[in-house]
Amino acid sequence: GRVGAQITFSSAMVTLRAVPLLTLCIAAVYEAAKTEDLIVETFCWKGGQELHRSVQVLSDDDDEEGSERRLSSQDKASESFAPDGSILDAIWDRPAWRQERFEFKIQSGEHPCFAGFASMLRDTNRCNGWRRQYPPVGDNVTFINTGLSRYMSFQLAALVGEHINVWLEEGSTDVHREVAVKAAQIYTNVLDVDELKPVHSSNSWMEQECSVMGQMPFMYSCSDRINVLVQNCGGVENAWVRPSDYLVNFPGPADNTSGPNNDIIFYMCQELLDRNPNPYAAANTFAHELAHVIQGGFGNSFYPMTEGGATWLEGSLLRLAPRPMQYAWGFRDWNFINAAHLYATTKDLNARKFYQIHAMFLTYLSQDELLGDAATSALQNYEAFAGSYVPWGRSAYDYFLSYVGKGKPTEFKPVDLDTTSVNFPFATALLDFRVAMAAQCIVNLSLRPSEAKYLMPAHLRDRPFWDCSTFPTYWSADPGSGVDRASIRMHYGGAAIFRLANPQNCTVSVASDADKQVRTKVLAAGTASSPAEIQELRPGESASFNEPRELFVVQVNVDPEGESISSADMTKVWRRTSEGCRKGCRGQAWTTSGPFGTYPNMVTSSLRSPLVELPNAGNITFSFMARWQLEDLDGSSDQIGGCPLKGYDGVQVRLHIYTSSTQSSDHADGDDVFVLQPKSGYGKSPSNGTAIAALATSAALKAFGEKFSCAQIDGWTGRSPGKGFSRQAFDLAPYAGSTIRVEVVFASDGNVAQKGFSMNGLKIQADGNELTVRARDGGQTGFLDEAMNPHHLLETVKAGSTSKDAGIPVVVQYADGYEPDRHLSKAGITRSAPWSASWDPMVADPLRAYLGWSYSADTYHTVTAKLHPWQEACVQLEAPFTGVPHTATLFSLVDKIGVGAVILQGRSALPPHESLGAEVRSQSPGVTDPGVHRFHLNTSNVPVLEAGQKFLICIGAGEVKELPYDVKGKDSAMLHLPLTNVSTAAVADRAGWTVLRELPDKTENVTDPWAGHTLSLRVEFIEHRAARRLRGSKLLVV
């Protein structure tokens, strides 16, 4: 069904005997009309007269982690903690800060993931003497299967490395058992395999993860085990964690009344193991999901950071290959992904490649010369529980990136968020990161830049993260001698990279009319006599490069207001209209109902009156006619900030009292602000709830200052009485003689939107006489309706203020009147900076061309293949002119088994496809493949080919080394390849023909083995010098 459908529960009789503790739950599952999110409402009865309602929102785009609806910034009670320790540790060393906070001590020999657990139990009363106990291996426990939202029996299949419980749901297969247990053994490295030791100081992935990121959140679970639940997910191939599991009693820990799921748990779908039964890939999933568990113990951050941090962990931090761009969802256009909004997270906007891009950005920053591992971990661990303190984008980045290359500071100094200049720290880091991506495309390492800020980490410098052949490329030997106003439109944080191949006497200029919010740097590769250089160009500027050299024009949209919003940017909420103004309404009404009949989500907006001087009268009333339909709570007994909840969205009326003569702005809060109660009241829920969740945000509460009470979040919700407008009146007599302002505040959360709130006939009367007020144009009018000012309440937290829940300070100060654009309201804005280039035409320059196919796949239909050591995959190419292949780049996936090298072999296109020269090897060290292999070729590998001559480039897997955790059997050793669409895969006389050959006899050839798909392989082909001389002489004769 859809939101708004009526859900009816019929009665049933259940006979219960001898059940000492019982909970009954019913889950209502439906799809949100606007977002197509899956909404799961669970109603649980634990005895007594109350039902407990919880809401889970499962986004269509939540591919890796289930998301849970949290009521608001105040949905959990705050834990008071005075920051007695170093405020710098709170920012730069969260594990040390937490250790001080909970007063436990780390003992020698403790596992890094549970360091301090014994001390916490022994030396503190954190768990009040309780510790979670587990049954022997082989016994069963009932857990909630979160894939199907039902209780199921799980067997404890194994205890691995003293700290990992592997649980299998009833019905799990031997494959599920074998892969899950092996994955746990790989993650813990119980067999002490050298290939599974990331660094000399860590003996396993698990040790390294917790040594750098921090301990598991045992202070909330009172347990020292990780529980892996292998469950049936109803066809979903996924894995996830739920912080609410171990934060069930936040800020306190779980206790003896907490269920089995209220522990350190991650959920792994059986379907995921069925699709890919590679235990190394499953172990990598362990690492990724348990990174989320660690993060959840510190609080919340913005989604791209949490996923980017976990993806950084699973790759760079474990000294494994980074997740390649061709992993998971498919895409067609590399440049489209490059130019996408940095924080976009949907398949449509960027094929959800924010995982890889943010992870690679953190990988770039983790170089010792920039931030290093520890500071990069501190950046992605900079989190808080309270919503107003949860960082977003630059509110974390600008602070940490201001210390790139400088090390940890010695004192805390907040950073002001600059909304006027493009030279803020995040902008510079984003631009330099993209330059470093381009530098990976320079094949000769001696010609790359020498500064770390323009390079990727050393082990990745010859492993391009991006497909360099997809950048718009201009060959110096092609007809014409320049580029005229090239540009790509970029979303905020998006980039465009262009390649100029070896032009001589080249001048690059940025157009004077280029968008000033786009920064441009030109990377010039080194030459035999000159080092690489980087020049930044602003609109109207140019740079010249005399020697023939490879150039890259790198651009990034760094709009300083790109990820923040002001009142001027906010969605219009209040409007005056005659639509629906009937039954008690005359003329026009102020309404929050939009043109399509519902109000906007995630807004806090008000109508404020001008300043009013109340007379010294005995009877003063503020009144209006109103009608509303807002999202309420349907009888739930939830609380928010300790206040019983009655609705999600609501409206309240406030009074501002001014004692200062300087308060004249229509946007200034009063010296005293409080909520006015209507004479008929705001109403209560059936469970006596009075609070509105959307009114509990820091934006809505800011006017009240530091003090909080349930009265501040009271208001109307649900549906107004009757069918038309009804009169609402407020007593202002107690404030006679005061300067005041009345304000009607509307607030909505991010879920269900209904018709909204409408009001008409606003007036202030003293002893029966209507007061005149200043109109918006400065005149006098007797109609308060026409003088009301729409006003947005923005969520700006003062830098240096400290969240009570975790003691973590706000490190970046937003400009006055700005707040983070958490909902990407500006995501559709694009910018460009046209540039041009001119160079001397050189007959001696060789012709160049790209051959083969870059990765390209439909978003929802990707095809991969497993290449075994006894196979060779070949794709046919055709020489565009007389020349030789110069480089070849193969894109792979990182999961593999047993393969130590990838082999490239040139072969004749004619049967029996004899070798054209020596093979080339690219090493694949460790237990994961690098994800990209660049082969440097010469005439000893493939001889000079004539124009139109066809040839094969063949890929094989070699240097097999079996490890103890490998799946056994003929098909076990393998290289995993992403495939790309090609229409000629089955056509033997065309480029693109693809054949799979069996070794060692190479006689068993299978044409088009992957049904219209081939290798993601690109070759740069260069004209041979003899052909170049001949072409040059012909031109001279002409």
Side-chain angles (χ1 to χ4, degrees):
R2 293 275 182 178
V3 170
Q6 184 68 38
I7 301 173
T8 303
F9 297 102
S10 60
S11 62
M13 180 175 289
V14 182
T15 302
L16 307 172
R17 294 186 178 89
V19 182
L21 181 63
L22 175 72
T23 299
L24 294 179
C25 296
I26 296 176
V29 184
Y30 53 90
E31 189 177 85
K34 287 186 175 182
T35 63
E36 298 185 359
D37 291 347
L38 191 66
I39 312 296
V40 182
E41 290 190 69
T42 304
F43 301 84
C44 291
W45 174 74
K46 300 181 180 181
Q49 300 300 311
E50 295 185 350
L51 280 178
H52 176 80
R53 172 180 177 266
S54 63
V55 181
Q56 189 175 12
V57 182
L58 301 177
S59 170
D60 174 59
D61 290 313
D62 284 331
D63 300 320
E64 301 227 12
E65 184 178 9
S67 65
E68 301 166 86
R69 174 170 179 169
R70 306 199 66 175
L71 299 176
S72 79
S73 62
Q74 301 287 332
D75 62 339
K76 301 287 186 179
S78 294
E79 178 178 12
S80 178
F81 174 68
D84 296 327
S86 167
I87 198 71
L88 288 176
D89 277 349
I91 304 167
W92 294 88
D93 192 348
R94 286 297 294 276
W97 178 252
R98 187 166 60 182
Q99 179 183 340
E100 177 183 342
R101 176 185 177 201
F102 289 107
E103 299 179 327
F104 58 75
K105 299 177 181 178
I106 296 175
Q107 300 176 355
S108 176
E110 285 188 294
H111 194 287
C113 289
F114 296 95
F117 178 75
S119 171
M120 181 188 71
L121 293 183
R122 182 186 64 245
D123 303 329
T124 77
N125 62 356
R126 175 69 180 169
C127 294
N128 294 315
W130 180 76
R131 175 180 180 177
R132 186 175 291 278
Q133 301 297 316
Y134 301 96
V137 172
D139 279 11
N140 285 53
V141 170
T142 298
F143 289 89
I144 297 175
N145 173 322
T146 58
L148 301 176
S149 296
R150 68 187 184 194
Y151 286 95
M152 295 297 296
S153 180
F154 287 76
Q155 182 186 65
L156 182 55
L159 169 59
V160 179
E162 300 183 2
H163 291 293
I164 297 186
N165 290 333
V166 179
W167 299 87
L168 299 176
E169 184 182 350
E170 286 183 350
S172 296
T173 66
D174 290 341
V175 170
H176 300 149
R177 177 185 299 269
E178 178 185 14
V179 176
V181 172
K182 279 190 173 183
Q185 293 171 336
I186 291 168
Y187 182 61
T188 56
N189 196 17
V190 294
L191 296 183
D192 197 34
V193 175
D194 288 340
E195 286 85 350
L196 297 175
K197 298 176 181 179
V199 296
H200 72 276
S201 58
S202 294
N203 291 317
S204 67
W205 297 357
M206 182 176 174
E207 281 192 17
Q208 174 72 353
E209 181 165 7
C210 294
S211 295
V212 177
M213 290 187 71
Q215 300 101 318
M216 295 290 159
F218 59 76
M219 63 292 304
Y220 296 108
S221 68
C222 294
S223 64
D224 64 345
R225 292 195 196 175
I226 296 164
N227 297 271
V228 182
L229 268 61
V230 179
Q231 62 181 16
N232 176 1
C233 296
V236 175
E237 301 173 359
N238 212 335
W240 58 79
V241 301
R242 302 193 314 173
S244 60
D245 284 342
Y246 49 86
L247 297 177
V248 61
N249 291 333
F250 180 86
D255 55 31
N256 58 2
T257 67
S258 304
N261 287 75
N262 300 137
D263 202 351
I264 300 173
I265 292 180
F266 92 83
Y267 305 90
M268 176 167 275
C269 296
Q270 296 170 344
E271 294 87 340
L272 183 64
L273 302 181
D274 290 333
R275 178 176 60 83
N276 187 4
N278 181 345
Y280 297 101
N284 204 247
T285 300
F286 275 47
H288 184 101
E289 297 304 330
L290 291 172
H292 285 317
V293 171
I294 296 172
Q295 291 169 338
F298 290 124
N300 304 302
S301 185
F302 59 106
Y303 190 31
M305 178 63 85
T306 55
E307 288 297 353
T311 309
W312 167 66
L313 173 279
E314 76 176 40
S316 176
L317 194 57
L318 298 184
R319 304 303 186 257
L320 301 174
R323 182 184 294 192
M325 288 292 293
Q326 55 273 17
Y327 174 87
W329 302 101
F331 60 94
R332 295 290 185 190
D333 186 344
W334 287 74
N335 294 305
F336 175 82
I337 300 298
N338 203 19
H341 196 288
L342 186 66
Y343 302 135
T345 61
T346 68
K347 304 179 190 77
D348 290 337
L349 294 179
N350 67 351
R352 291 183 63 75
K353 299 307 173 185
F354 73 97
Y355 286 86
Q356 289 93 317
I357 292 173
H358 280 266
M360 188 54 70
F361 183 50
L362 294 175
T363 298
Y364 160 79
L365 293 174
S366 67
Q367 297 178 86
D368 290 339
E369 299 89 342
L370 302 181
L371 283 181
D373 279 346
T376 302
S377 182
L379 166 60
Q380 63 88 40
N381 268 343
Y382 177 66
E383 301 176 301
F385 293 99
S388 57
Y389 290 88
V390 171
W392 172 264
R394 288 178 61 190
S395 62
Y397 277 128
D398 270 17
Y399 174 79
F400 285 93
L401 296 180
S402 66
Y403 292 99
V404 165
K406 300 176 183 178
K408 178 180 174 181
T410 56
E411 61 178 322
F412 172 56
K413 293 182 179 179
V415 172
D416 289 331
L417 188 136
D418 188 349
T419 57
T420 60
S421 167
V422 295
N423 295 311
F424 52 92
F426 189 35
T428 298
L430 280 179
L431 182 57
D432 291 346
F433 163 61
R434 303 290 183 158
V435 172
M437 277 176 43
Q440 289 180 298
C441 300
I442 300 173
V443 174
N444 187 333
L445 61 89
S446 67
L447 304 183
R448 297 173 190 156
S450 58
E451 292 181 84
K453 69 177 182 178
Y454 296 129
L455 294 168
M456 288 296 184
H459 67 288
L460 297 176
R461 290 174 188 171
D462 205 38
R463 307 278 190 183
F465 172 59
W466 213 261
D467 184 345
C468 304
S469 71
T470 62
F471 298 143
T473 301
Y474 305 91
W475 308 109
S476 60
D478 282 354
S481 57
V483 179
D484 184 27
R485 293 183 64 86
S487 68
I488 290 177
R489 299 206 64 84
M490 297 163 281
H491 297 266
Y492 173 73
I497 302 177
F498 307 84
R499 180 188 177 196
L500 285 75
N502 286 48
Q504 180 169 315
N505 293 328
C506 180
T507 297
V508 178
S509 58
V510 176
S512 59
D513 61 349
D515 196 309
K516 295 179 181 178
Q517 315 301 353
V518 174
R519 287 179 64 178
T520 302
K521 283 190 176 182
V522 179
L523 164 63
T527 67
S529 58
S530 303
E533 58 180 302
I534 294 90
Q535 294 192 36
E536 180 161 4
L537 302 178
R538 299 298 297 146
E541 295 181 348
S542 62
S544 296
F545 306 91
N546 296 327
E547 297 179 83
R549 61 203 310 182
E550 196 166 17
L551 302 176
F552 293 88
V553 177
V554 181
Q555 298 185 318
V556 180
N557 174 355
V558 294
D559 179 3
E561 294 190 32
E563 60 173 87
S564 60
I565 52 176
S566 65
S567 295
D569 301 316
M570 298 290 285
T571 301
K572 184 178 180 180
V573 177
W574 293 94
R575 66 189 182 105
R576 295 195 75 198
T577 178
S578 59
E579 298 171 11
C581 189
R582 57 185 183 273
K583 294 184 179 180
C585 173
R586 295 180 181 179
Q588 290 188 322
W590 284 102
T591 182
T592 63
S593 180
F596 298 103
T598 59
Y599 51 78
N601 278 328
M602 297 304 298
V603 296
T604 307
S605 183
S606 71
L607 285 177
R608 286 185 166 187
S609 75
L611 294 177
V612 178
E613 300 287 344
L614 292 182
N616 288 308
N619 181 12
I620 308 177
T621 303
F622 170 53
S623 65
F624 51 80
M625 303 296 290
R627 181 181 64 182
W628 61 88
Q629 184 177 338
L630 307 162
E631 184 192 10
D632 61 10
L633 211 59
D634 299 328
S636 168
S637 58
D638 284 344
Q639 293 191 353
I640 185 166
C643 309
L645 199 63
K646 68 177 176 184
Y648 291 116
D649 304 338
V651 172
Q652 65 178 201
V653 178
R654 295 178 180 179
L655 184 71
H656 296 251
I657 300 177
Y658 296 90
T659 58
S660 169
S661 60
T662 60
Q663 300 289 354
S664 59
S665 168
D666 287 331
H667 304 293
D669 291 329
D671 297 291
D672 291 307
V673 182
F674 48 87
V675 175
L676 287 173
Q677 285 285 330
K679 292 181 178 181
S680 57
Y682 285 120
K684 294 183 179 181
S685 71
S687 58
N688 290 319
T690 60
I692 307 298
L695 287 170
T697 65
S698 63
L701 294 172
K702 180 182 177 183
F704 300 115
E706 295 297 323
K707 296 181 180 180
F708 171 78
S709 71
C710 293
Q712 293 168 356
I713 54 177
D714 195 0
W716 289 299
T717 190
R719 189 185 296 265
S720 56
K723 295 183 178 181
F725 284 70
S726 60
R727 185 173 185 269
Q728 304 298 325
F730 303 82
D731 185 11
L732 300 185
Y735 316 106
S738 300
T739 301
I740 63 99
R741 169 180 286 129
V742 290
E743 179 179 30
V744 182
V745 179
F746 166 82
S748 64
D749 69 3
N751 291 278
V752 178
Q754 299 198 22
K755 289 185 177 180
F757 186 89
S758 299
M759 61 182 177
N760 165 265
L762 289 84
K763 62 182 67 175
I764 297 176
Q765 292 175 299
D767 292 337
N769 298 312
E770 184 173 349
L771 301 185
T772 58
V773 295
R774 175 176 54 84
R776 280 180 284 175
D777 61 6
Q780 296 289 314
T781 177
F783 301 102
L784 187 60
D785 269 4
E786 299 175 3
M788 298 297 283
N789 295 285
H791 176 72
H792 289 286
L793 285 70
L794 300 178
E795 189 169 4
T796 303
V797 182
K798 183 179 180 181
S801 58
T802 303
S803 63
K804 294 180 180 179
D805 56 24
I808 307 304
V810 174
V811 295
V812 173
Q813 180 63 61
Y814 273 77
D816 187 38
Y818 286 84
E819 70 175 11
D821 184 15
R822 299 177 187 274
H823 306 288
L824 303 187
S825 62
K826 295 182 176 179
I829 299 174
T830 58
R831 301 181 183 277
S832 65
W835 63 277
S836 301
S838 61
W839 58 84
D840 293 344
M842 297 291 293
V843 174
D845 284 354
L847 295 173
R848 298 168 183 257
Y850 288 127
L851 310 181
W853 284 264
S854 293
Y855 175 77
S856 174
D858 182 74
T859 303
Y860 297 94
H861 182 67
T862 59
V863 179
T864 67
K866 295 179 180 179
L867 186 67
H868 301 287
W870 43 272
Q871 295 174 318
E872 185 180 62
C874 305
V875 59
Q876 183 165 264
L877 304 176
E878 181 177 338
F881 40 76
T882 300
V884 294
H886 176 57
T887 59
T889 305
L890 173 75
F891 292 90
S892 62
L893 297 171
V894 297
D895 60 304
K896 66 170 186 179
I897 295 179
V899 172
V902 177
I903 303 166
L904 182 145
Q905 178 72 70
R907 294 191 178 278
S908 168
L910 301 175
H913 309 299
E914 295 292 341
S915 168
L916 294 177
E919 66 181 29
V920 188
R921 290 182 175 242
S922 173
Q923 294 303 306
S924 178
V927 297
T928 60
D929 189 71
V932 61
H933 297 269
R934 182 157 57 192
F935 302 90
H936 304 267
L937 307 174
N938 55 45
T939 53
S940 68
N941 309 118
V942 178
V944 176
L945 301 167
E946 297 299 323
Q949 184 177 349
K950 297 178 179 64
F951 63 103
L952 301 182
I953 292 293
C954 300
I955 299 296
E959 298 184 15
V960 175
K961 178 182 179 181
E962 187 174 287
L963 296 176
Y965 304 114
D966 291 356
V967 178
K968 309 304 178 186
K970 177 187 176 185
D971 295 340
S972 61
M974 62 87 187
L975 181 70
H976 202 178
L977 299 173
L979 302 179
T980 192
N981 303 107
V982 60
S983 61
T984 55
V987 185
D989 63 345
R990 296 281 303 278
W993 177 59
T994 302
V995 60
L996 189 65
R997 314 179 71 221
E998 289 197 9
L999 305 175
D1001 56 17
K1002 306 182 183 67
T1003 57
E1004 187 72 24
N1005 297 337
V1006 179
T1007 292
D1008 191 21
W1010 303 312
H1013 294 80
T1014 192
L1015 303 169
S1016 299
L1017 176 76
R1018 289 289 261 171
V1019 173
E1020 184 167 342
F1021 196 86
I1022 298 184
E1023 185 182 27
H1024 188 252
R1025 57 181 176 274
R1028 194 187 323 157
R1029 286 195 296 268
L1030 179 60
R1031 176 171 56 86
S1033 64
K1034 290 179 179 179
L1035 289 173
L1036 290 174
V1037 169
V1038 173

